Amino acid sequence: MQIMKDYEIHTETMVLLPCFDRYANLHTIVIEEQSYFLVAMPPKKVIDASCRYYGSSYEGRLEGIKRVMGISKKAPIAISAELSIFFFPLESPNNHSCVWLSHTHIEEIRPLDNRNTVILFTNGQAFTVPVPKGQIETKILRTAQYRHLLKNRIEVGKRQHHVYQLQKEDVQFVYDPVKQAYHIKKHE
């Protein structure tokens, strides 16, 4: 299996699985639409590195969802809202056993039994996780709601055009070196 030193999540990334090497180092098995490989980083670090690649951090994205939805535990992460890359954890991201799934790539979920669920992906692959179907449904719906709210905020931002026009006054903007700030001086 190919081993990579680092990795950034992109639109074809489907799953991040925790995996220990023979020296008990936590790594990540990355499953993409057409391939899979090992990354020599824990899944949470792959998430953080990917958030940083797209201009934020894991902590920054957590703060974002907390402000938008009030969620701070087991929260979905917008790796890149612009590219619609949203991942959600199946358990606490602080657990070494945490699996991360791409919201975009999930086609269907089916219960295998009371404790296990089969996830069917858009490319036809299937994957079984040790999580009840109801818990996964909640995570999928929460992620969908978060995507929806972010999309609406972006659309509202695109529609709002604020034009500020200065009043036609005889003013001057003067720098005060003592206060290290500007003030407005009106000419009368």
Side-chain angles (χ1 to χ4, degrees):
M1 181 185 310
Q2 182 182 357
I3 300 175
M4 299 176 70
K5 184 178 177 183
D6 53 19
Y7 177 79
E8 285 87 27
I9 293 168
H10 54 85
T11 56
E12 292 187 11
T13 311
M14 298 186 341
V15 183
L16 304 179
L17 300 173
C19 172
F20 286 101
D21 68 8
R22 62 184 170 161
Y23 304 106
N25 297 310
L26 182 58
H27 295 317
T28 304
I29 298 171
V30 175
I31 302 173
E32 294 183 344
E33 289 178 2
Q34 301 298 324
S35 64
Y36 67 94
F37 45 86
L38 190 65
V39 177
M41 299 168 63
K44 189 174 172 184
K45 287 199 180 202
V46 172
I47 294 286
D48 184 50
S50 299
C51 290
R52 290 177 188 279
Y53 179 79
Y54 293 107
S56 187
S57 67
Y58 175 73
E59 292 301 322
R61 297 299 191 193
L62 274 181
E63 179 62 29
I65 189 165
K66 189 173 181 181
R67 285 181 173 261
V68 173
M69 292 184 64
I71 298 170
S72 59
K73 295 184 183 211
K74 302 178 190 176
I77 299 295
I79 304 293
S80 171
E82 298 80 8
L83 297 175
S84 292
I85 302 173
F86 289 79
F87 272 69
F88 61 88
L90 291 184
E91 59 185 271
S92 170
N94 295 325
N95 293 349
H96 71 272
S97 56
C98 182
V99 171
W100 289 84
L101 298 174
S102 167
H103 185 259
T104 306
H105 289 281
I106 296 173
E107 181 77 25
E108 185 181 347
I109 57 173
R110 295 180 186 158
L112 186 61
D113 54 40
N114 289 340
R115 295 184 187 143
N116 298 289
T117 303
V118 177
I119 300 170
L120 301 166
F121 293 97
T122 54
N123 70 348
Q125 289 184 335
F127 184 74
T128 302
V129 293
V131 180
K133 181 183 180 221
Q135 287 182 18
I136 295 175
E137 283 175 327
T138 299
K139 293 170 187 312
I140 289 171
L141 291 172
R142 214 160 60 163
T143 306
Q145 180 65 16
Y146 183 43
R147 288 177 75 165
H148 171 73
L149 292 172
L150 283 182
K151 182 181 175 190
N152 281 353
R153 287 180 178 207
I154 291 167
E155 290 302 315
V156 166
K158 287 179 183 176
R159 288 192 307 263
Q160 291 179 348
H161 298 284
H162 298 288
V163 177
Y164 298 99
Q165 192 170 16
L166 291 175
Q167 296 176 356
K168 296 195 179 206
E169 296 180 31
D170 191 12
V171 296
Q172 186 177 4
F173 301 98
V174 181
Y175 181 73
D176 181 343
V178 174
K179 293 182 180 177
Q180 297 183 349
Y182 287 85
H183 67 274
I184 300 171
K185 180 178 179 185
K186 291 185 181 184
H187 298 283
E188 296 181 26

